[in-house]
């Protein structure tokens, strides 16, 4: 299933709450959930790499500098020097990741009709793209309705609060926990991020 619009999000959210009633108070607190759909392709994946292990504010600032410098395309990345990319805010590690992505020649059109598992398998073959980045791409750029990102710290913290857990669930346990929310896991993620924003007064995802 593909999430195309806000009506799709609302429908999945209602079914999710029916499936797991403990989500109901959080959903009442957040109100309507955001669509969060974005374009697919190189720039979307590059943006996801930029967001790895930095705050939303930092990721937004770095992304803006790169966009202002017109440095969001694969040919521009390949042609730029490491110093130029670092001056725009990329760490040495992310410079390597950006180059690996630029040189990967991913068939983005083919990914639009691929399964979530195939999307994640294809993307994680590129250096610097781990499961989180691939899952975020499948969720927001391709609209997959039943994909989750259990390695995300904001999702883990939100689940800890909603389900009154002693600690944040570890990635493997969280993945198993989220299987019960299928086929609505991408909307479960949206709800968890939205609740994190309310509970922590800061964004958990771009």
């Amino acid at each position: 299933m593909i999430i195309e619009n806000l009506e799709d999000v609302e429908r999945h959210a209602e079914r999710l709450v029916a499936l797991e009633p403990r989500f109901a108070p959080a959903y009442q607190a957040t109100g309507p959930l955001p669509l969060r759909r974005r374009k697919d392709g190189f720039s979307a994946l590059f943006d996801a790499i930029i967001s790895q292990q930095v705050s939303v504010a930092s990721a937004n600032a770095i992304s803006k500098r790169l966009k202002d410098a017109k440095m969001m395309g694969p040919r521009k990345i390949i042609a730029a020097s490491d110093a130029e990319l670092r001056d725009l805010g990329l760490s040495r590690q992310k410079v390597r990741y950006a180059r690996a992505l630029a040189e990967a020649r991913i068939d983005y059109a083919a990914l639009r009709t691929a399964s979530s598992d195939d999307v994640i398998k294809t993307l994680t073959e590129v250096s610097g793209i781990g499961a989180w980045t691939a899952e975020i791409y499948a969720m927001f750029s391709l609209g997959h309705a039943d994909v989750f990102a259990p390695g995300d710290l904001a999702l883990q913290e939100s689940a800890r609060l909603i389900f009154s857990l002693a600690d944040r669930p570890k990635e493997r346990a969280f993945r198993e926990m989220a299987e019960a929310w299928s086929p609505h896991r991408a909307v479960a993620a949206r709800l968890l991020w939205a609740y994190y924003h309310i509970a922590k007064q800061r964004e958990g995802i771009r």
Side-chain angles (χ1 to χ4, degrees):
M1 290 182 285
I2 301 298
I3 292 175
E4 300 282 5
N5 50 49
L6 286 170
E7 288 76 16
D8 291 339
V9 173
E10 182 178 0
R11 184 175 66 256
H12 278 280
E14 289 172 353
R15 292 174 182 174
L16 173 69
V17 170
L19 187 65
E20 175 46 89
R22 288 180 293 176
F23 273 124
Y27 189 35
Q28 290 175 351
T30 65
L33 302 175
L35 178 58
R36 293 192 182 278
R37 282 299 304 269
R38 58 188 69 157
K39 292 181 179 179
D40 65 338
F42 176 86
S43 61
L45 257 182
F46 186 25
D47 246 346
I49 288 173
I50 292 167
S51 297
Q52 292 172 356
Q53 298 179 326
V54 297
S55 69
V56 171
S58 295
N60 285 338
I62 295 168
S63 182
K64 183 179 186 304
R65 288 199 292 272
L66 287 159
K67 287 173 182 175
D68 288 348
K70 301 187 186 304
M71 203 67 76
M72 292 297 291
R75 285 182 290 182
K76 290 292 186 71
I77 295 297
I78 290 171
S81 69
D82 286 5
E84 287 176 305
L85 294 173
R86 289 200 304 272
D87 286 345
L88 292 170
L90 293 180
S91 66
R92 290 180 184 274
Q93 186 178 52
K94 287 187 180 179
V95 168
R96 293 197 303 273
Y97 294 167
R99 294 200 188 284
L101 177 60
E103 294 167 356
R105 298 186 178 181
I106 294 169
D107 186 345
Y108 294 103
L111 291 182
R112 293 171 188 162
T113 55
S115 68
S116 297
D117 286 345
D118 286 345
V119 169
I120 292 167
K121 180 179 183 297
T122 297
L123 296 184
T124 53
E125 289 175 352
V126 180
S127 178
I129 298 182
W132 180 88
T133 303
E135 288 156 352
I136 295 299
Y137 185 84
M139 196 182 302
F140 296 149
S141 292
L142 299 177
H144 289 202
D146 197 30
V147 65
F148 197 66
D152 188 276
L153 294 180
L155 293 185
Q156 293 172 5
E157 175 63 11
S158 189
R160 184 188 71 80
L161 296 171
I162 290 173
F163 296 104
S164 301
L165 304 176
D167 300 295
R168 292 177 185 167
K170 301 296 185 183
E171 182 173 350
R172 182 175 178 179
F174 199 19
R175 188 179 297 279
E176 293 174 355
M177 178 181 179
E179 287 176 0
W181 308 332
S182 180
H184 317 294
R185 285 178 287 184
V187 169
R190 286 169 169 83
L191 175 52
L192 289 164
W193 274 312
Y195 190 74
Y196 179 88
H197 175 65
I198 290 173
K200 297 296 183 177
Q201 292 297 299
R202 56 185 175 136
E203 295 293 343
I205 190 72
R206 293 177 68 196

